[in-house]
Structures are given as C-alpha cells and as structure tokens.
C-alpha cells in the first residue's frame, strides 16, 4: 500500500496488537517473565473490574494507552514498547507479592505448600529471566554480520569483484 518502503516491509501482514505482544513476550522480556506479566495484568484487570481498585491502576492505564497507540501503528518497532517494560516489572512483582499475601487463603492447598509453590514460582521467574537475558545478549559478543562479511569478502574475493547491487541502503 502507501507504506511500502524497505524498513516497513518487515511488518507487512502483521496483526495489530497481537504481533507486538508476541514480540514483547518472545524477545522483549522473555517468555517466563512475559507470561508472568500477562497473568499479572489479567489478575490486575479482574481486581479493577470487581471494583476493588489496584495500586498500579495509574501505571497500568498509562502502559495500556501506550500499547494501544503503538500497537496499531504500521511500524511496530520494539523500541516503541520499551516504556511499557517497567510497568510489566511492577505487575510481575505485584503478582508474586499478592500471591504471597493470599497464600493462606488459597483453596485446596495447605498454606506451607502454597508458600513453597509461590516462592519457587518467583524464584523460577527471576532465574529463568536472567538466564534468558544472558543468552539473548550473547549475540552482541560477536562481530556484526556486515563487518564479518566484509572481512570475508576482502580475504576471499579479488579487488573490484561484484557480488550484488544495492537498491536501498544495505
């Protein structure tokens, strides 16, 4: 359509809101943290819906507006969603604190067992997210592919050889 230019082609055919949400969970904050954040947002929404209010209502509203605006854009660049990430961290922290507060009232589970499950869940979320972040940043410890390709070209091709022609800025 009217937005067909090289940087925007990568988002062609993506679903508004769904695609950014997938990217936030998959690449932005990691799967374990992302799922915990979605559960926390759901629990917060239920609390607000029932009229009980929520200590994070204002940050959640701001993050929701940010996501609603940016999620509808043609350009779904992850950097547009970075302002939402601190709110996600608050929501995940709130979720585990709230579960801990309610550990004695969870039906069908003894309070000691509930406490262990909640503590293990929080610990697993922290450790899995740290491991995911460590694995993710390993890509930045290597040479950039363009620099690596240029070094290979200089080492293996004669001067003046043509590999391809450029049609944009790559």
């Amino acid at each position: 359509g009217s937005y067909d230019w090289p940087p925007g082609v990568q988002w062609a055919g993506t679903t508004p809101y769904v695609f950014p949400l997938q990217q936030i969970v998959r690449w932005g904050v990691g799967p374990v943290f992302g799922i915990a954040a979605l559960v926390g947002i759901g629990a917060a929404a239920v609390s607000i819906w029932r009229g009980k209010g929520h200590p994070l209502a204002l940050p959640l509203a701001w993050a929701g507006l940010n996501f609603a605006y940016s999620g509808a854009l043609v350009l779904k660049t992850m950097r547009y969603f970075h302002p939402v990430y601190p709110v996600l961290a608050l929501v995940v922290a709130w979720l585990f604190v709230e579960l801990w507060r309610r550990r004695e009232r969870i039906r069908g589970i003894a309070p000691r067992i509930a406490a262990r499950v909640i503590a293990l869940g929080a610990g697993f979320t922290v450790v899995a997210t740290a491991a995911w972040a460590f694995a993710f940043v390993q890509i930045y410890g290597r040479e950039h592919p363009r620099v690596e390709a240029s070094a290979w070209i200089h080492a293996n091709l004669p001067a003046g050889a043509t590999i391809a022609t450029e049609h944009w800025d790559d």
Side-chain angles (χ1 to χ4, degrees):
S2 60
Y3 294 110
D4 290 341
W5 76 102
V9 172
Q10 62 187 316
W11 295 289
T14 59
T15 307
Y17 306 113
V18 173
F19 178 79
L21 188 60
Q22 289 172 334
Q23 297 305 298
I24 289 170
V25 171
R26 186 178 296 157
W27 305 111
V29 295
V32 174
F33 186 92
I35 291 168
L38 292 175
V39 170
I41 289 169
V46 168
S47 176
I48 293 168
W49 181 262
R50 290 182 176 167
K52 296 180 180 179
H54 195 275
L56 298 174
L58 187 59
L60 280 167
W62 178 84
L65 288 172
N66 189 304
F67 184 80
Y69 175 77
S70 298
L73 296 175
V74 171
L75 296 175
K76 297 173 186 78
T77 307
M78 287 301 297
R79 70 175 177 255
Y80 296 156
F81 300 97
H82 286 170
V84 173
Y85 290 14
V87 178
L88 297 179
L90 290 171
V91 168
V92 171
W94 169 83
L95 174 66
F96 285 113
V97 168
E98 193 63 24
L99 286 171
W100 185 259
R101 285 183 186 153
R102 295 177 185 216
R103 70 187 178 276
E104 298 199 10
R105 292 178 280 169
I106 297 174
R107 288 187 207 155
I109 302 176
R112 252 177 32 191
I113 294 172
R116 287 181 185 156
V117 169
I118 294 164
L120 284 172
F124 176 74
T125 301
V126 169
V127 170
T129 302
W132 175 88
F134 178 76
F136 185 85
V137 300
Q138 295 309 301
I139 192 170
Y140 300 107
R142 302 184 70 195
E143 194 71 63
H144 191 283
R146 290 183 185 180
V147 174
E148 201 171 308
S150 294
W152 183 89
I153 289 168
H154 290 298
N156 295 291
L157 297 177
T162 301
I163 300 172
T165 58
E166 299 177 14
H167 71 278
W168 187 53
D169 69 348
D170 287 336

